[in-house]
Amino acid sequence: MKKGEIYEGVIEKVDYPNKGYVFVDDQKVVVKNGIPGQKVRFVINKKRSGRAEGRLLEVLEKSPLEMRKPVCSSFPACGGCMYQTMPYQEQLRMKECQIKSLLDQAIAAGGQTDSQGRPDYIWEGIHGSPIEFGYRNKMEFSFGDEYKDGPLSLGLHKKGSTYDVLNTGDCKLVHEDMTKILTCVWKYFHDRGISYYKKMQHVGYLRHLLLRRGVTTGEILVHVITTSQEEHDLEPLKEELLNLSLEGKIVGIMHIINDSLSDVVRSDETRILYGQDYFYETLLGLRFKISTFSFFQPNSLAAEVLYSIVRDYIGNTKDMEVFDLYSGTGTIAQLLAPVAKEVIGVEIVEEAVDAARENAALNGLANCRFIAGDVLKVLDEVAEKPDMIVLDPPRDGIHPKALPKIIAYGVEHIVYISCKATSLARDLEAFLAAGYRVERACCVDQFCETVHIETICKLSRKSGFRGENMILTTERLILRPWTDADAESLFEYASDPDVGPIAGWPPHKNAEESLGVIRNVLTGAECYAICEKGSNKAIGAVELKLNGHTDMTESDDECELGYWLGKPFWGRGYMPEAAAELIRHGFEDLGMTTIWCGYYDGNNKSRRVQE
């Protein structure tokens, strides 16, 4: 099998988000954008390290799961939908299997299993969207052409293309009001022969059409986004838009100037042609003011389902300090505020924070505080300590340097909302290693016909977890808070002939004596189990013995480094790697000025400064 070769095969399985698997002569090839059971033709576009990826060229035979006809004229060329030929219940079944499989693997790898080795948590299934079509409250359409030098088009990009734009005037992901507006805008500019912006040459006028519509209010914002390279009178367009027969009502028409070289929707200047630059939406009894670039869940009705589950997972927050990290426009914070002592939301997008503050005031909530900034930095500055944490990070998940700070709070419960389950599965490794367990999980389909889905997990701190210390990571290792159960793992290694007795300790008569020694020695507040990444099993331990727990220290800014690791792992350089990270932690996080390294010279304990 070589790059550029063309093959045919049947997609056996599709993993999240859209990774299909085709087998060719026992070689597994990843082919994206397919449905299980489809016979496809594909070209090999990547081949390395025994792995192959193919680009879908053509669907030769439909899948047995494709039991209905396409609902729009642009399918399957359009990249907006993937699964519209599948009945909705089949879509839900496939998505649920994908997410559960992903979580099962992550939770089992973290050591959270029952006596049969199966992942031990409560899976609560998938919740579908209340409406399957016309659910999106926001859509960005692009100006372009369907083929090179073709007539003006306005719609969504062709699947796999960054240049070709399809006319999607009958898109079923949005309300009919939006498609009427799209058709009106396209016809206006098409009839006048106005140019579109060409990304490679950086010339032209028309860029995007951004539409937002409140599902519960029917209020609509229209944004025509252009460059400043030409000037055109948009007053006639405004009048045509206002004369459209719509179910909802246009409350604002904006002309946004965007001269950025990158193909993003942003504003260098916003001109209000009509009305206002915001609309209102209601969610679970709260009212939200949403502006042009404010983040808001794109499926309002499914968002109500999502946030109802989140509220249930969070439980009673009476008199609690709650942190809502990656808070967006503060929807979750405001749902929790009525009974909480205080909710602090942290969000990096300043406009979203401004909207959150305004919406909290609109809903009469005085105990919501929103901070604009990066979670990684804000957690070092905020004085309050949370009783509960809600996480709703962007698609890439939580910043790896922010994870230890979140875990270090040691709160009893954390609720994690993820729009990309692979990021959630990666982050769960750190939470499980730090002494948390997944109690409940489910998913909510906010994005019917597409590959995307929201996942919700409730994590609880296991008894015996020492929440005062942090989780530390190196290239190959995780250093997590020590628990008494880890003594069993260390004794298991010490009992293995290939590992040998615990280094530096006298021989022990039996397992009970060995376990007793381990438990008595590893008692400090800064004691960590050493685990290989991808495993929750302790292969060693390392600790900083603070003043009062060692005869080597003379003041509170001194401590002693202690460690144990089985002999096979010394050869891999694990101990220097673990010790170096703990020394860094001592100096940088704990403010130590001296770290002593105790070692035995015969039977006499010596002391020397760890360089």
Side-chain angles (χ1 to χ4, degrees):
M1 185 175 288
K2 297 179 180 178
K3 188 175 177 180
E5 291 182 341
I6 295 175
Y7 292 91
E8 295 179 4
V10 175
I11 298 175
E12 304 289 343
K13 179 186 176 184
V14 175
D15 279 346
Y16 177 87
N18 63 343
K19 291 169 62 176
Y21 299 107
V22 180
F23 290 87
V24 178
D25 298 330
D26 296 326
Q27 166 77 59
K28 183 167 73 173
V29 183
V30 175
V31 180
K32 295 183 178 180
N33 300 321
I35 294 174
Q38 284 180 335
K39 184 176 181 181
V40 296
R41 179 179 289 122
F42 57 94
V43 60
I44 302 298
N45 59 350
K46 289 184 182 179
K47 180 73 165 63
R48 59 175 178 267
S49 304
R51 296 188 299 176
E53 290 186 21
R55 178 170 57 84
L56 181 67
L57 297 176
E58 183 183 2
V59 176
L60 301 174
E61 294 178 14
K62 285 186 176 182
S63 162
L65 297 174
E66 296 183 88
M67 295 180 257
R68 66 182 185 187
K69 294 180 179 179
V71 296
C72 79
S73 60
S74 299
F75 185 86
C78 175
C81 290
M82 276 286 298
Y83 303 133
Q84 62 168 267
T85 52
M86 294 173 63
Y88 189 46
Q89 288 305 312
E90 292 296 334
Q91 295 180 39
L92 293 177
R93 264 193 282 278
M94 183 176 70
K95 288 184 176 184
E96 179 183 1
C97 287
Q98 291 173 345
I99 301 303
K100 187 176 186 299
S101 174
L102 202 57
L103 293 186
D104 282 354
Q105 292 175 42
I107 292 169
Q112 186 180 317
T113 56
D114 61 17
S115 59
Q116 306 298 315
R118 297 170 301 201
D120 182 22
Y121 70 110
I122 299 172
W123 172 253
E124 297 179 334
I126 188 168
H127 302 262
S129 171
I131 56 173
E132 183 184 356
F133 296 107
Y135 61 83
R136 288 195 64 95
N137 57 40
K138 176 186 176 183
M139 201 67 152
E140 295 174 6
F141 297 105
S142 299
F143 287 96
D145 52 25
E146 295 195 12
Y147 50 89
K148 188 176 181 181
D149 299 325
L152 180 71
S153 57
L154 173 59
L156 299 175
H157 283 273
K158 189 178 290 185
K159 190 180 297 180
S161 173
T162 56
Y163 299 102
D164 300 339
V165 175
L166 301 171
N167 275 312
T168 51
D170 61 345
C171 177
K172 294 299 186 290
L173 296 183
V174 297
H175 191 277
E176 189 180 359
D177 284 354
M178 289 172 133
T179 55
K180 286 182 178 180
I181 292 169
L182 179 146
T183 301
C184 174
V185 172
W186 168 79
K187 188 174 186 306
Y188 180 86
F189 290 117
H190 175 271
D191 291 352
R192 287 161 176 76
I194 296 176
S195 67
Y196 71 89
Y197 179 74
K198 296 184 177 180
K199 287 179 282 191
M200 294 297 290
Q201 293 94 338
H202 306 303
V203 295
Y205 180 66
L206 299 168
R207 299 195 70 159
H208 298 95
L209 174 66
L210 169 61
L211 303 178
R212 304 197 72 159
R213 183 184 188 277
V215 173
T216 59
T217 63
E219 296 181 350
I220 302 168
L221 293 184
V222 180
H223 310 82
V224 177
I225 301 162
T226 75
T227 67
S228 63
Q229 295 178 21
E230 301 174 16
E231 281 291 338
H232 296 277
D233 181 13
L234 300 183
E235 190 66 21
L237 174 61
K238 181 191 81 172
E239 295 302 323
E240 286 189 26
L241 289 170
L242 293 176
N243 287 328
L244 288 174
S245 176
L246 305 175
E247 183 180 313
K249 179 185 179 183
I250 294 175
V251 296
I253 302 174
M254 269 67 68
H255 177 200
I256 294 177
I257 310 299
N258 174 16
D259 285 320
S260 169
L261 295 181
S262 60
D263 189 30
V264 295
V265 177
R266 47 161 281 187
S267 173
D268 295 328
E269 178 189 353
T270 299
R271 303 169 184 172
I272 300 179
L273 304 181
Y274 169 79
Q276 61 206 33
D277 61 353
Y278 60 88
F279 71 102
Y280 289 100
E281 183 74 298
T282 59
L283 205 66
L284 294 175
L286 295 175
R287 197 161 186 244
F288 294 91
K289 180 180 177 182
I290 304 168
S291 58
T292 299
F293 296 109
S294 296
F295 173 78
F296 199 77
Q297 292 289 357
N299 183 339
S300 300
L301 298 181
E304 290 196 320
V305 176
L306 174 74
Y307 291 137
S308 295
I309 295 167
V310 170
R311 196 157 57 179
D312 176 52
Y313 276 23
I314 290 169
N316 184 18
T317 56
K318 184 173 174 58
D319 300 326
M320 284 189 179
E321 188 80 36
V322 181
F323 279 13
D324 179 11
L325 305 182
Y326 312 97
S327 56
T329 51
T331 311
I332 295 173
Q334 293 174 66
L335 291 171
L336 302 180
V339 293
K341 174 186 173 184
E342 182 184 37
V343 182
I344 296 177
V346 181
E347 170 58 48
I348 198 168
V349 180
E350 289 192 17
E351 187 183 51
V353 171
D354 292 339
R357 290 169 179 160
E358 190 172 0
N359 286 325
L362 182 69
N363 290 301
L365 300 170
N367 62 335
C368 283
R369 180 152 61 95
F370 296 98
I371 302 171
D374 189 339
V375 166
L376 177 63
K377 296 177 181 178
V378 170
L379 292 183
D380 290 333
E381 301 164 358
V382 66
E384 290 80 2
K385 302 295 181 186
D387 301 302
M388 154 83 68
I389 295 175
V390 180
L391 302 166
D392 190 3
R395 292 184 61 78
D396 289 339
I398 300 168
H399 192 291
K401 290 186 178 180
L403 262 174
K405 298 180 182 182
I406 293 167
I407 291 169
Y409 284 118
V411 298
E412 291 292 332
H413 302 294
I414 294 172
V415 174
Y416 191 133
I417 305 152
S418 173
C419 58
K420 186 179 180 184
T422 47
S423 299
L424 168 63
R426 181 203 64 215
D427 292 343
L428 282 181
E429 177 183 338
F431 283 109
L432 295 175
Y436 281 87
R437 60 173 280 117
V438 176
E439 296 288 348
R440 307 162 63 185
C442 69
C443 48
V444 177
D445 187 21
Q446 288 209 96
F447 311 98
C448 320
E449 324 311 321
T450 77
V451 301
H452 306 294
I453 191 159
E454 298 272 336
T455 309
I456 315 164
C457 278
K458 178 177 181 178
L459 299 111
S460 297
R461 194 178 68 177
K462 290 190 282 192
S463 58
F465 166 67
R466 299 176 185 175
E468 293 304 314
N469 51 3
M470 304 170 71
I471 180 169
L472 308 171
T473 60
T474 69
E475 183 178 348
R476 298 178 294 173
L477 303 174
I478 288 179
L479 280 60
R480 61 163 174 77
W482 168 270
T483 66
D484 285 347
D486 293 319
E488 299 280 353
S489 295
L490 292 197
F491 176 73
E492 184 181 317
Y493 279 102
S495 303
D496 187 331
D498 293 331
V499 177
I502 297 172
W505 292 355
H508 304 138
K509 298 174 183 176
N510 51 47
E512 186 176 348
E513 182 180 349
S514 289
L515 289 171
V517 170
I518 293 171
R519 290 193 174 107
N520 287 333
V521 172
L522 302 173
T523 57
E526 285 292 330
C527 180
Y528 296 83
I530 302 172
C531 306
E532 292 179 288
K533 281 191 172 178
S535 170
N536 196 39
K537 193 169 188 177
I539 60 171
V542 63
E543 74 172 320
L544 293 177
K545 295 180 180 292
L546 304 182
N547 191 32
H549 296 274
T550 170
D551 57 3
M552 298 184 69
T553 58
E554 298 176 352
S555 63
D556 288 341
D557 59 358
E558 297 184 11
C559 62
E560 177 188 344
L561 177 70
Y563 49 82
W564 177 86
L565 194 68
K567 288 179 183 176
F569 297 103
W570 280 89
R572 299 181 192 175
Y574 279 177
M575 182 47 69
E577 191 173 319
E581 173 58 18
L582 200 63
I583 291 167
R584 181 211 62 75
H585 170 59
F587 285 127
E588 295 183 7
D589 301 329
L590 302 181
M592 296 291 146
T593 59
T594 305
I595 296 178
W596 296 96
C597 179
Y599 69 101
Y600 281 92
D601 180 9
N603 288 323
N604 299 314
K605 190 175 184 182
S606 305
R607 48 186 280 181
R608 70 181 178 196
V609 175
Q610 174 71 45
E611 297 293 339

